[in-house]
mmCIF file of all heavy atoms in Angstrom:
data_model
loop_
_atom_site.group_PDB
_atom_site.id
_atom_site.type_symbol
_atom_site.label_atom_id
_atom_site.label_comp_id
_atom_site.label_asym_id
_atom_site.label_seq_id
_atom_site.Cartn_x
_atom_site.Cartn_y
_atom_site.Cartn_z
ATOM 1 N N THR U 2 -13.256 -82.319 -38.390
ATOM 2 C CA THR U 2 -14.576 -83.059 -38.594
ATOM 3 C C THR U 2 -14.737 -83.797 -39.993
ATOM 4 O O THR U 2 -14.387 -83.161 -41.041
ATOM 5 C CB THR U 2 -15.774 -82.053 -38.470
ATOM 6 O OG1 THR U 2 -15.628 -81.373 -37.320
ATOM 7 C CG2 THR U 2 -17.130 -82.714 -38.703
ATOM 8 N N ARG U 10 -23.712 -82.547 -53.333
ATOM 9 C CA ARG U 10 -23.300 -81.294 -52.586
ATOM 10 C C ARG U 10 -22.129 -80.621 -53.453
ATOM 11 O O ARG U 10 -22.139 -79.415 -53.648
ATOM 12 C CB ARG U 10 -22.859 -81.581 -51.214
ATOM 13 C CG ARG U 10 -22.440 -80.392 -50.435
ATOM 14 C CD ARG U 10 -22.012 -80.730 -49.211
ATOM 15 N NE ARG U 10 -22.726 -81.722 -48.535
ATOM 16 C CZ ARG U 10 -22.392 -82.330 -47.309
ATOM 17 N NH1 ARG U 10 -21.308 -81.974 -46.732
ATOM 18 N NH2 ARG U 10 -23.105 -83.174 -46.849
ATOM 19 N N GLU U 13 -23.747 -78.912 -56.396
ATOM 20 C CA GLU U 13 -24.446 -77.707 -55.957
ATOM 21 C C GLU U 13 -23.452 -76.560 -55.673
ATOM 22 O O GLU U 13 -23.763 -75.469 -56.013
ATOM 23 C CB GLU U 13 -25.333 -78.077 -54.680
ATOM 24 C CG GLU U 13 -26.048 -76.858 -54.110
ATOM 25 C CD GLU U 13 -27.060 -76.224 -55.109
ATOM 26 O OE1 GLU U 13 -27.405 -76.834 -56.113
ATOM 27 O OE2 GLU U 13 -27.385 -75.111 -54.806
ATOM 28 N N PHE U 32 -29.380 -79.336 -64.313
ATOM 29 C CA PHE U 32 -29.112 -80.399 -63.359
ATOM 30 C C PHE U 32 -30.381 -81.078 -62.845
ATOM 31 O O PHE U 32 -30.806 -80.650 -61.788
ATOM 32 C CB PHE U 32 -28.170 -79.953 -62.240
ATOM 33 C CG PHE U 32 -26.858 -79.411 -62.676
ATOM 34 C CD1 PHE U 32 -26.625 -77.996 -62.639
ATOM 35 C CD2 PHE U 32 -25.857 -80.168 -63.142
ATOM 36 C CE1 PHE U 32 -25.430 -77.434 -62.989
ATOM 37 C CE2 PHE U 32 -24.682 -79.643 -63.562
ATOM 38 C CZ PHE U 32 -24.488 -78.293 -63.459
ATOM 39 N N ASN U 47 -41.065 -104.544 -39.346
ATOM 40 C CA ASN U 47 -42.424 -104.737 -40.016
ATOM 41 C C ASN U 47 -42.686 -103.882 -41.165
ATOM 42 O O ASN U 47 -43.629 -104.119 -41.866
ATOM 43 C CB ASN U 47 -43.515 -104.548 -38.969
ATOM 44 C CG ASN U 47 -43.409 -105.587 -37.818
ATOM 45 O OD1 ASN U 47 -43.122 -106.776 -38.063
ATOM 46 N ND2 ASN U 47 -43.598 -105.010 -36.530
ATOM 47 N N ILE U 50 -39.899 -97.489 -44.661
ATOM 48 C CA ILE U 50 -40.264 -96.131 -44.384
ATOM 49 C C ILE U 50 -39.401 -95.244 -45.320
ATOM 50 O O ILE U 50 -38.222 -95.380 -45.414
ATOM 51 C CB ILE U 50 -40.073 -95.646 -42.867
ATOM 52 C CG1 ILE U 50 -40.881 -96.628 -41.971
ATOM 53 C CG2 ILE U 50 -40.317 -94.172 -42.622
ATOM 54 C CD1 ILE U 50 -40.510 -96.428 -40.566
ATOM 55 N N LEU U 55 -39.983 -82.362 -49.394
ATOM 56 C CA LEU U 55 -40.801 -81.794 -50.440
ATOM 57 C C LEU U 55 -41.347 -80.438 -49.949
ATOM 58 O O LEU U 55 -42.476 -80.369 -49.756
ATOM 59 C CB LEU U 55 -41.935 -82.751 -50.813
ATOM 60 C CG LEU U 55 -41.576 -83.901 -51.582
ATOM 61 C CD1 LEU U 55 -42.671 -84.893 -51.680
ATOM 62 C CD2 LEU U 55 -41.050 -83.555 -52.946
ATOM 63 N N PRO U 56 -40.560 -79.408 -49.672
ATOM 64 C CA PRO U 56 -41.009 -78.085 -49.251
ATOM 65 C C PRO U 56 -41.948 -77.498 -50.355
ATOM 66 O O PRO U 56 -41.685 -77.653 -51.537
ATOM 67 C CB PRO U 56 -39.786 -77.403 -49.016
ATOM 68 C CG PRO U 56 -38.790 -77.903 -49.890
ATOM 69 C CD PRO U 56 -39.058 -79.521 -50.037
ATOM 70 N N ILE U 75 -42.514 -91.077 -56.308
ATOM 71 C CA ILE U 75 -43.142 -89.887 -55.856
ATOM 72 C C ILE U 75 -42.976 -88.758 -56.967
ATOM 73 O O ILE U 75 -41.790 -88.534 -57.407
ATOM 74 C CB ILE U 75 -42.458 -89.326 -54.577
ATOM 75 C CG1 ILE U 75 -42.714 -90.412 -53.394
ATOM 76 C CG2 ILE U 75 -43.028 -87.968 -54.123
ATOM 77 C CD1 ILE U 75 -41.873 -89.974 -52.184
ATOM 78 N N ARG U 81 -45.439 -71.670 -56.628
ATOM 79 C CA ARG U 81 -45.254 -70.701 -55.663
ATOM 80 C C ARG U 81 -46.415 -69.613 -55.837
ATOM 81 O O ARG U 81 -46.586 -69.257 -57.024
ATOM 82 C CB ARG U 81 -43.848 -69.856 -55.847
ATOM 83 C CG ARG U 81 -42.759 -70.806 -55.736
ATOM 84 C CD ARG U 81 -42.495 -71.246 -54.362
ATOM 85 N NE ARG U 81 -41.398 -72.072 -54.397
ATOM 86 C CZ ARG U 81 -41.202 -73.257 -53.766
ATOM 87 N NH1 ARG U 81 -42.289 -73.528 -53.063
ATOM 88 N NH2 ARG U 81 -40.120 -73.995 -53.747
ATOM 89 N N VAL U 85 -43.853 -62.356 -57.815
ATOM 90 C CA VAL U 85 -42.778 -61.355 -57.716
ATOM 91 C C VAL U 85 -42.375 -60.809 -59.066
ATOM 92 O O VAL U 85 -42.158 -61.628 -59.933
ATOM 93 C CB VAL U 85 -41.541 -61.619 -56.858
ATOM 94 C CG1 VAL U 85 -40.586 -60.486 -56.875
ATOM 95 C CG2 VAL U 85 -41.913 -62.120 -55.534
ATOM 96 N N GLU U 87 -40.289 -59.888 -62.121
ATOM 97 C CA GLU U 87 -39.084 -60.317 -62.461
ATOM 98 C C GLU U 87 -37.892 -59.300 -62.165
ATOM 99 O O GLU U 87 -36.854 -59.548 -61.660
ATOM 100 C CB GLU U 87 -38.946 -60.695 -63.947
ATOM 101 C CG GLU U 87 -37.713 -61.593 -64.307
ATOM 102 C CD GLU U 87 -37.665 -62.930 -63.603
ATOM 103 O OE1 GLU U 87 -38.697 -63.463 -63.377
ATOM 104 O OE2 GLU U 87 -36.515 -63.344 -63.411
ATOM 105 N N HIS U 91 -34.065 -60.718 -56.982
ATOM 106 C CA HIS U 91 -32.583 -60.584 -56.944
ATOM 107 C C HIS U 91 -31.906 -61.879 -56.955
ATOM 108 O O HIS U 91 -30.824 -62.122 -57.427
ATOM 109 C CB HIS U 91 -32.152 -59.907 -55.678
ATOM 110 C CG HIS U 91 -32.571 -58.418 -55.688
ATOM 111 N ND1 HIS U 91 -31.998 -57.418 -56.358
ATOM 112 C CD2 HIS U 91 -33.718 -57.825 -55.055
ATOM 113 C CE1 HIS U 91 -32.537 -56.249 -56.082
ATOM 114 N NE2 HIS U 91 -33.606 -56.528 -55.319
ATOM 115 N N LEU U 106 -37.137 -100.204 -53.229
ATOM 116 C CA LEU U 106 -37.315 -100.589 -51.819
ATOM 117 C C LEU U 106 -36.447 -101.751 -51.381
ATOM 118 O O LEU U 106 -36.174 -102.691 -52.145
ATOM 119 C CB LEU U 106 -38.825 -100.765 -51.513
ATOM 120 C CG LEU U 106 -39.721 -99.671 -51.997
ATOM 121 C CD1 LEU U 106 -41.145 -100.030 -51.750
ATOM 122 C CD2 LEU U 106 -39.338 -98.433 -51.029
ATOM 123 N N SER U 112 -48.199 -103.060 -51.091
ATOM 124 C CA SER U 112 -48.480 -101.784 -51.629
ATOM 125 C C SER U 112 -49.776 -101.235 -51.343
ATOM 126 O O SER U 112 -50.092 -100.023 -51.189
ATOM 127 C CB SER U 112 -48.264 -101.719 -53.115
ATOM 128 O OG SER U 112 -49.036 -102.489 -53.835
ATOM 129 N N THR U 118 -47.967 -89.352 -44.888
ATOM 130 C CA THR U 118 -48.244 -88.128 -44.145
ATOM 131 C C THR U 118 -47.342 -86.986 -44.587
ATOM 132 O O THR U 118 -46.312 -87.332 -45.010
ATOM 133 C CB THR U 118 -48.101 -88.258 -42.637
ATOM 134 O OG1 THR U 118 -46.784 -88.758 -42.223
ATOM 135 C CG2 THR U 118 -49.151 -89.295 -41.982
ATOM 136 N N ASN U 121 -44.388 -80.279 -42.215
ATOM 137 C CA ASN U 121 -43.179 -79.392 -42.183
ATOM 138 C C ASN U 121 -42.220 -79.643 -43.358
ATOM 139 O O ASN U 121 -41.078 -79.679 -43.236
ATOM 140 C CB ASN U 121 -42.384 -79.518 -40.866
ATOM 141 C CG ASN U 121 -43.199 -79.085 -39.639
ATOM 142 O OD1 ASN U 121 -44.090 -78.180 -39.752
ATOM 143 N ND2 ASN U 121 -43.009 -79.799 -38.551
ATOM 144 N N ASP U 131 -44.107 -107.361 -46.941
ATOM 145 C CA ASP U 131 -44.834 -108.495 -47.337
ATOM 146 C C ASP U 131 -44.015 -109.718 -46.914
ATOM 147 O O ASP U 131 -42.917 -109.884 -47.632
ATOM 148 C CB ASP U 131 -45.164 -108.540 -48.927
ATOM 149 C CG ASP U 131 -45.928 -109.636 -49.275
ATOM 150 O OD1 ASP U 131 -46.338 -110.571 -48.482
ATOM 151 O OD2 ASP U 131 -46.252 -109.722 -50.460
ATOM 152 N N ILE U 141 -43.299 -131.314 -61.803
ATOM 153 C CA ILE U 141 -42.779 -131.813 -63.162
ATOM 154 C C ILE U 141 -43.791 -132.830 -63.666
ATOM 155 O O ILE U 141 -44.137 -133.745 -62.952
ATOM 156 C CB ILE U 141 -41.302 -132.336 -63.003
ATOM 157 C CG1 ILE U 141 -40.465 -131.308 -62.425
ATOM 158 C CG2 ILE U 141 -40.973 -132.729 -64.463
ATOM 159 C CD1 ILE U 141 -39.109 -131.808 -62.163
ATOM 160 N N HIS U 144 -44.033 -137.727 -68.861
ATOM 161 C CA HIS U 144 -44.868 -138.350 -69.905
ATOM 162 C C HIS U 144 -44.235 -139.705 -70.293
ATOM 163 O O HIS U 144 -43.188 -139.924 -70.294
ATOM 164 C CB HIS U 144 -44.893 -137.505 -71.074
ATOM 165 C CG HIS U 144 -45.601 -136.207 -70.853
ATOM 166 N ND1 HIS U 144 -46.945 -136.068 -70.728
ATOM 167 C CD2 HIS U 144 -45.153 -134.967 -70.655
ATOM 168 C CE1 HIS U 144 -47.308 -134.838 -70.489
ATOM 169 N NE2 HIS U 144 -46.194 -134.155 -70.385
#
Side-chain angles (χ1 to χ4, degrees):
T2 304
R10 184 180 319 168
E13 177 64 14
F32 299 109
N47 300 318
I50 302 165
L55 290 171
I75 297 175
R81 303 287 178 226
V85 177
E87 193 64 35
H91 295 280
L106 300 175
S112 59
T118 56
N121 296 331
D131 186 357
I141 302 171
H144 297 282

